[in-house]
Each structure stands twice: as C-alpha cells, then as structure tokens.
Amino acid sequence: MPFTPATAEQRFVLEETVRLSELAATERFAAATPDVIDAVLDGAGQFAAGEWAPLNRVGDTVGAKWAPDGVRMPEGFRQAYQDYVAGGWGTIGVAEEWGGQGLPFAVQTAVLETLGTANMAFALCPTLTVGAIEALAHHGSPEQQAAYLPKLATGEWTGTMNLTEPQAGSDVGALRSMAMPRSDGTWSVKGTKIYISFGDHDLADNIVHLVLARTPDAPAGTRGISLFLVPKVRLDGTPNDVRVVSIEHKMGLNASPTCVLSFGDNDDCIGELIGPVHGGMRAMFTMMNNARLNVGLQGVQVAEAATQGAVAYALDRVQSARAGGTSRDPVAIVEHPDVRRMLLRMKAQTQAARALVYYAAGQVDRAALGDADARGRLELLTPLAKAHGTDLGCEVASLGIQVHGGMGYVEETGAAQHLRDARITPIYEGTNGIQAADLVGRKLALENGAVFAALVSDMRRDVAHEDLKALVETCNLIGRQLATAGHDDRLAASYPFLTMLSVATCGWLLERQARAAPDDAFGAAKRVAARFYLDQIVPEALGLRAAATASADVLYALPAQAFAA
C-alpha cells in the first residue's frame, strides 16, 4: 500500500486548530518555532516512509511470535525500533528535565500519527510508552522518575499498562492481583493480566510494567486498588519474576503482541508502589486518558492510510465508460460518481477525526500551562476524541475496501488489513459505549454544566452553516435534557448523543479550517472536503435526534431470554 506523510495537512491543523503559534509564544513551549516544527514533521515523515512503512506487510503476515523465553518480533522490527530510539523520536513531547525535547503534546501527536499511518501495529509500542511516562511524571516519586523516565523518554525502555484480568475487563474493580509489602519497602506482586499490548518483545532491553493490584485488607472495588511499577529487568540487572504465558491470535494488529502476563509464579516478582496506597485508579487514569486520546489518534492513522490506498487504487483502476458520457472508452474508476462520493467521504471524515483529536491535544498543552478552562474542555473532549475518532477509522477503512471492489476483499491489496487493524480501537482503552456513558454521566455535569455550555457558546459564535447551527442547538437542548433524565434513559441516549456532539464539534472545526485555508490547491481541496462534511454528514447527525431523545423503555420491552428466540 502507498504511504505519503500527511505533513501539509498536519502543519495546517497544528496552526489553525491547535493554534501552535500561541503555544510557542509561552516560555514552556518556546522551542516550538516554525523551523523546528517543519524539521520534526519532515523528519518523522522521512523516517516513517523509509523504515516503518516497509515493515507493515510483514508485520501483518508474519506477526509477533511467542516462544518460551519471550516474544520475537518479525525480521527488521528491532533495527527499525533502535533507529527510532537513535533518532530521538520518542523524546518529542517529554520534558527536558527527563531528556526530552519539551515540545507540545500536539506536536508529539503529529509524529505518532505519521508513525501509525505507516505502521499502526508497530506504533502501539511507543504510544503505550507515552502513557507510562505521563503516569510516572505525575505520580511517581523523585527516585522513580530519575531511575525510569530518562530511559522511557528515549524509548530505550518501553512501557505497558496492566489492568485487565480474565474476570475483570471493563469492571476494573473486580481484579484479584495482589501486592504484599516487603521489609525493604518494595512489594511482592502476584497475579495474571491479559490483553497487555507489547507486554513482551525483543525491541528493547527492558519493559516497565505499570500494574494494578490489591494490597492486604484493601476495600472492595476500585477504592482498594493500588498501582505498582514492575520492571521486566530490575535496576540491578537481574530478571524479575514476570513471565509471558502466551500471545493472542487476533483479527488484526498482528505485529502488536497482545500478551498474557503472569507475575510472581516463583514468589519473586518485586514492584514499587506508585503514589499512595489505594491511589491506583487516580494514577492509572492519568495514563488511560492519555491513551484514550492516542487511541482516537489511531482512528486518524488508519483512516489516512485507508484513504491513501483507496485514492491510489481509484486513480489506477480502469473500468467502464463514464455513465452519460459521449465516449465508450473505459475510464479510471475515480471518474464514476459513486466512487468519488466514497473518496470524498473518506477524506472529509479523516480530516474531521484529525481536527477533533488535534484540538483535544491542544487542550492538553493549554492545561499544562495552567489554563483551567482548557483542563475542563479536555475532559469533555476526551470521550469524543476516543469514540468518534475510532468510529471514523472503522468507517473509512470499510469504505476503502468498497472502493477496491472485489480486490479489497483480497488480502493482497492490503485494504482489508486496515479494517482488521482498526476494529479493536472502539473496544480497548474503554469501549466506545463506556466513553458515551462517561460523557452523559460525568462530563456534561462538569462545573454544573458550565464546561459543556462553554463549548456550545464557542460553536454558536463561529458557525455559519444552517444545518450546523441546527445541530449545535439540538445538542445543547438534548444535553440539558440528559442532565436531568433518568439513569436508563440517559444511558440509552448516550451513544447517539456522543455522535451528534462529535459531529457538531468536527463541523465547527472544519468550517473554521475552510475559512482559514489558503487560496491554492491545498486550500481548494480543504474547502471542498468541509463543504461535503457540512452538507452531507452534519444532516446525518441531525437524524440521530430521535435516538438521542427516545425512552429506554423499548430496550427493556423484551425479557432477556427473548433475545435468543
């Protein structure tokens, strides 16, 4: 499949949507000058095209392999990862005190987008490390930060997040892993974790596992959970008692080993407490919220990759004469109206997802500068970015198969891989249903509704398109109704409402982009994509009003067993 770094689009969105120049005007982000950003985006694109994109096919067809002594990645992956470390690509958004470059999170987001578009499964490894860095930077002790953050920043060591257990998936409070105090202040960790992305591999010399576990006499549920740092190799160089039991055989992301990890089989797994006892969920949510934005970014990655592949195929594939034309000669399928409809929808939805995720990333940077309003808006946007970004990734990947026709169903073209890779993204890091429940259950009520009201106010002030105005007002009305609705009714409406609010936010951002776009070929394409989005996708979201205002009664009109009839 073809791969071209989307650097022109990234530059534009960083400036217009993130307002990067405003960030660069602060002391903290003064290094984010235009020439530095250009060098970063261009360099990341060249690196991804030269080293990561060529491994995408072998990563899918060969995949990671389990062995009794650990997971082995396909040929070429270790060298490409070591080159990633040597190039400093992991240090982009890390604070300078830990060996990073101190650039905005939004710039790091653009780099991760490029890497993931080139090779989505491979890019999961540094994505998880970014989350581990965030957790330690906010909750680790000075000693832990000094010992681990410099190695994690460069990528010499990688990080993981260990929440899920066989009996405890979305219900994290049901986990059973235990940590017992040792006389030297460390802890003995014992338990089994599943679905651990890059839980083991041969890319780096050490893996830093962040593990949720219970302490003795801990209260039930999430209140009794603590977070522990468990390295694969201890700081003194001795192996820790951590074993990879197996890896999953998955639908996609075959170059991302999804591991079952066993801690303490020999009662010699030593970990360190991160933060206070029973403070695990607070620390883990720092990592999870970061990861949720980056999973939303995976939707952008796969949508961009699928769109590039579909466009290349449509320009090359010649079939049938143009309907209604004077010539009977066959034309490239890009000339057929329905193919153009699909391609334009793919481009518009990809740009919408990118605008939403980058906008949220910009709020991360503003919150880091102490902007309380940005912190609240980030909380509101996170479920939108994760859920809608991944929904769009799946939609665009599916359309990419359709553009390819029968060849899209054949693995040889690579179009099917995008959908296989993308389909997990609405599931992990909190299912999209959980994101919708979070939106209506917690986020609409932030500051007694003031955070939601501020977003609506900003959109009202900017939008000009009539359907978009109607969608913003409808979201405002339904959002206020849901704030006082019964529990079942609120949750029944949550997913269609999340989609409506996401489309309204994306439409607002794309309309702003269209107004700011330059008078050249790039700007013309931007305006056409925005026009398509506003004219055709925004009205679809308005059609969700009935679902977002319906009672939950119909969902419970059948007894549970009747669903099996």
Side-chain angles (χ1 to χ4, degrees):
M1 295 290 283
F3 167 71
T4 301
T7 50
E9 171 75 3
Q10 290 172 340
R11 282 190 184 93
F12 178 79
V13 178
L14 284 171
E15 187 50 50
E16 167 54 30
T17 298
V18 176
R19 307 290 173 88
L20 189 60
S21 59
E22 295 177 2
L23 296 176
T26 66
E27 182 179 355
R28 177 165 181 167
F29 296 125
T33 59
D35 58 329
V36 168
I37 301 307
D38 285 348
V40 167
L41 297 182
D42 290 340
Q46 292 169 16
F47 172 75
E51 298 208 40
W52 282 38
L55 295 173
N56 188 51
R57 179 71 173 167
V58 68
D60 183 51
T61 55
V62 175
K65 301 295 184 184
W66 178 87
D69 60 342
V71 173
R72 298 289 175 264
M73 295 295 290
E75 184 177 355
F77 272 70
R78 180 175 172 83
Q79 184 60 55
Y81 186 78
Q82 293 300 314
D83 291 343
Y84 162 87
V85 173
W89 297 112
T91 67
I92 299 296
V94 181
E96 292 180 81
E97 62 184 303
W98 308 123
Q101 299 184 42
L103 291 171
F105 177 80
V107 177
Q108 177 179 271
T109 296
V111 171
L112 274 177
E113 183 202 332
T114 297
L115 292 171
T117 303
N119 195 322
M120 181 176 166
F122 199 0
L124 251 180
C125 186
T127 297
L128 289 163
T129 302
V130 168
I133 291 169
E134 283 291 303
L136 281 174
H138 285 87
H139 304 286
S141 68
E143 294 78 14
Q144 290 168 341
Q145 292 170 346
Y148 291 96
L149 284 178
K151 296 285 190 180
L152 288 168
T154 61
E156 292 175 74
W157 294 351
T158 66
T160 71
M161 177 166 47
N162 290 251
L163 291 79
T164 308
E165 299 180 6
Q167 79 293 338
S170 298
D171 183 9
V172 178
L175 67 84
R176 298 172 185 161
S177 293
M178 290 295 299
M180 304 293 292
R182 292 162 46 97
S183 60
D184 62 356
T186 61
W187 296 74
S188 178
V189 179
K190 194 176 187 67
T192 300
K193 297 290 183 178
I194 63 173
Y195 300 152
I196 311 305
S197 298
F198 276 93
D200 196 70
H201 55 78
D202 58 356
L203 301 176
D205 295 333
N206 202 0
I207 304 172
V208 180
H209 302 293
L210 300 191
V211 183
L212 289 183
R214 297 191 176 281
T215 54
D217 302 320
T222 56
R223 292 184 301 116
I225 293 174
S226 302
L227 182 64
F228 297 88
L229 186 158
V230 181
K232 179 181 178 179
V233 180
R234 299 169 190 161
L235 293 177
D236 64 6
T238 59
N240 213 347
D241 186 11
V242 181
R243 183 170 65 94
V244 55
V245 176
S246 63
I247 61 175
E248 305 295 346
H249 301 279
K250 309 191 299 291
M251 176 179 179
L253 290 182
N254 294 322
S256 171
T258 303
C259 301
V260 177
L261 295 181
S262 184
F263 298 86
D265 286 355
N266 301 306
D267 297 320
D268 191 31
C269 180
I270 299 175
E272 300 177 28
L273 180 67
I274 299 176
V277 173
H278 304 157
M281 289 306 294
R282 180 170 175 267
M284 187 56 80
F285 266 112
T286 298
M287 188 174 185
M288 285 187 67
N289 285 332
N290 178 288
R292 284 171 175 173
L293 290 183
N294 282 328
V295 171
L297 182 65
Q298 287 185 299
V300 181
Q301 295 166 5
V302 76
E304 179 65 36
T307 299
Q308 289 190 19
V311 169
Y313 185 82
L315 291 169
D316 184 67
R317 172 64 166 157
V318 175
Q319 181 171 289
S320 304
R322 171 79 182 274
T326 57
S327 172
R328 303 317 303 159
D329 294 335
V331 296
I333 63 171
V334 71
E335 299 298 339
H336 300 307
D338 191 55
V339 174
R340 288 211 168 198
R341 175 193 64 82
M342 290 188 286
L343 293 176
L344 193 49
R345 187 179 184 94
M346 292 172 77
K347 292 184 77 68
Q349 293 284 46
T350 300
Q351 291 182 23
R354 182 181 288 110
L356 178 59
V357 174
Y358 277 45
Y359 182 62
Q363 303 308 306
V364 173
D365 292 318
R366 283 171 168 75
L369 292 169
D371 185 335
D373 291 340
R375 189 173 295 110
R377 183 156 296 187
L378 173 62
E379 287 196 56
L380 178 62
L381 290 172
T382 295
L384 275 61
K386 193 280 180 181
H388 197 60
T390 57
D391 281 347
L392 294 187
C394 290
E395 178 191 335
V396 174
S398 181
L399 281 170
I401 294 174
Q402 194 72 21
V403 170
H404 281 77
M407 287 303 296
Y409 203 67
V410 175
E411 291 289 353
E412 176 186 336
T413 63
Q417 181 190 343
H418 296 311
L419 184 57
R420 288 189 290 101
D421 286 351
R423 192 55 189 86
I424 185 60
T425 60
I427 299 171
Y428 61 15
E429 297 304 340
T431 67
N432 286 2
I434 288 175
Q435 305 306 311
D438 180 47
L439 172 64
V440 301
R442 290 185 60 247
K443 303 305 173 61
L444 288 181
L446 287 172
E447 299 179 19
N448 294 318
V451 174
F452 173 64
L455 175 63
V456 170
S457 177
D458 284 352
M459 291 193 289
R460 277 174 170 162
R461 185 165 53 247
D462 282 351
V463 299
H465 192 278
E466 291 302 320
D467 285 336
L468 183 54
K469 285 182 180 179
L471 180 59
V472 170
E473 293 306 322
T474 302
C475 287
N476 182 50
L477 176 65
I478 295 174
R480 293 178 181 278
Q481 291 174 343
L482 291 177
T484 58
H487 190 71
D488 282 351
D489 287 346
R490 189 161 62 242
L491 291 178
S494 62
Y495 210 101
F497 176 71
L498 179 144
T499 301
M500 294 178 76
L501 185 58
S502 297
V503 173
T505 306
C506 290
W508 168 53
L509 296 173
L510 289 184
E511 192 177 49
R512 278 176 30 180
Q513 288 184 15
R515 287 197 294 265
D519 292 326
D520 56 14
F522 174 88
K526 172 66 68 176
R527 285 185 286 274
V528 169
R531 174 185 166 193
F532 181 93
Y533 192 91
L534 296 168
D535 288 350
Q536 299 198 29
I537 295 174
V538 166
E540 290 175 7
L542 276 167
L544 293 172
R545 178 171 183 164
T549 56
S551 165
D553 290 350
V554 69
L555 305 182
Y556 293 91
L558 291 174
Q561 291 302 316
F563 282 91

